[in-house]
Amino acid sequence: MHLKSHAFLIVFSLFILASCTEKQAISFTEESVTIPNNTIVDINIPKAEGDTKVAVLINKTLKQYVASELAFNPDTETPNTIETSIQNFNSEYTRFKNQFPESAQEWEAQIDGEVMFKSPEIISISLTSYTNTGGAHGSLVISFLNFDGQTGERIKNEELIDNTEHFMQLANPYFDEAISEKKDMYLDTEKFVLPQNIGYSADGLILLYNTYEIAPYTAGITEFVIPFNKANSYLKFHGF
């Protein structure tokens, strides 16, 4: 009887330990990435702590994404690292200054990231990328990257939503309200489409359209939030 009780306690303890480990969310710090003599590119992104497979995969995906966002010519470049992208950006600027020494145009690039939402189920990270290489104005792009909290795999938008058609019916009125004061600036308000960026936050599910995605530059970024108590029934990964 004593041995059976002892065995039961061991099994029970292991079960509790496994349950706690399974529910434990990844923690993040901030990482700044640069190279020697770089003064025009500023990169600050979240870094998943630890050497677990989940943390390693999240960090790898984040760095690959940032490297591609910073690529001067993404159609021909396939940078391996953020450092390579920074070096290429600096080299292009040096080439520009050599060709047009009289130009006062200064180039700059900045990518900042933050963890918008974190749970054992899902992690949402926002990356704000700004680049200016001349022209009338710089380019600002916000990207949401969602990760499975248990595997570290990136989750596509279509993998977030359980019933896209019904979810669009839920989201459409929120979109109409968000653009109500500048509706005439949008391309086709009668045909509602989901944005390229859907992410989780403490306030609910954020849907964000970058500049030029559905409207001209002057309309700016369009975004709205659907509270989780309205959205959860349509989501495969539930928020609070």
Side-chain angles (χ1 to χ4, degrees):
M1 186 71 177
H2 176 73
L3 290 176
K4 288 184 178 180
S5 299
H6 184 66
F8 172 78
L9 287 174
I10 293 176
V11 172
F12 181 75
S13 299
L14 290 174
F15 173 78
I16 294 298
L17 179 61
S19 298
C20 293
T21 303
E22 181 182 358
K23 294 181 179 180
Q24 186 176 4
I26 297 290
S27 60
F28 288 83
T29 55
E30 183 178 88
E31 179 179 19
S32 298
V33 186
T34 188
I35 60 173
N37 303 317
N38 164 55
T39 60
I40 60 174
V41 180
D42 188 22
I43 308 291
N44 301 284
I45 57 174
K47 178 183 179 182
E49 289 294 285
D51 56 1
T52 64
K53 290 183 179 180
V54 175
V56 170
L57 184 54
I58 290 175
N59 290 334
K60 179 181 178 181
T61 304
L62 271 176
K63 289 186 175 183
Q64 287 177 339
Y65 191 90
V66 170
S68 64
E69 283 289 288
L70 187 60
F72 185 78
N73 188 350
D75 293 330
T76 58
E77 289 184 57
T78 53
N80 295 322
T81 66
I82 297 177
E83 289 82 358
T84 300
S85 287
I86 295 174
Q87 181 61 60
N88 291 345
F89 192 91
N90 276 269
S91 297
E92 289 293 337
Y93 176 62
T94 300
R95 189 176 295 111
F96 167 79
K97 293 297 289 183
N98 289 337
Q99 291 179 348
F100 306 99
E102 72 285 355
S103 175
Q105 176 65 47
E106 298 288 339
W107 286 18
E108 62 176 319
Q110 182 169 352
I111 299 180
D112 293 312
E114 65 169 329
V115 179
M116 300 192 302
F117 184 90
K118 184 181 67 171
S119 77
E121 276 193 274
I122 188 167
I123 298 165
S124 286
I125 294 176
S126 171
L127 293 173
T128 302
S129 307
Y130 175 79
T131 56
N132 188 354
T133 57
H137 51 74
S139 174
L140 177 68
V141 177
I142 297 176
S143 303
F144 295 158
L145 278 67
N146 298 298
F147 297 92
D148 187 314
Q150 296 302 305
T151 67
E153 295 283 349
R154 187 177 172 190
I155 306 169
K156 299 177 182 178
N157 281 354
E158 56 267 28
E159 297 170 333
L160 292 173
I161 301 168
D162 199 29
N163 188 318
T164 302
E165 182 179 350
H166 288 174
F167 177 76
M168 289 178 67
Q169 293 175 6
L170 169 71
N172 201 342
Y174 289 90
F175 171 76
D176 291 339
E177 182 179 356
I179 69 168
S180 59
E181 295 183 1
K182 49 181 180 178
K183 190 173 181 179
D184 58 331
M185 302 176 67
Y186 287 76
L187 304 177
D188 186 1
T189 57
E190 301 305 317
K191 185 179 180 181
F192 175 68
V193 294
L194 293 177
Q196 297 176 12
N197 289 289
I198 300 176
Y200 288 55
S201 75
D203 297 323
L205 195 71
I206 303 179
L207 283 75
L208 183 146
Y209 303 82
N210 275 298
T211 306
Y212 296 121
E213 190 173 340
I214 55 171
Y217 176 81
T218 50
I221 290 171
T222 301
E223 65 177 318
F224 57 90
V225 178
I226 304 177
F228 284 129
N229 62 353
K230 301 291 185 181
N232 268 341
S233 59
Y234 302 93
L235 301 178
K236 297 179 181 178
F237 300 84
H238 290 172
F240 296 137

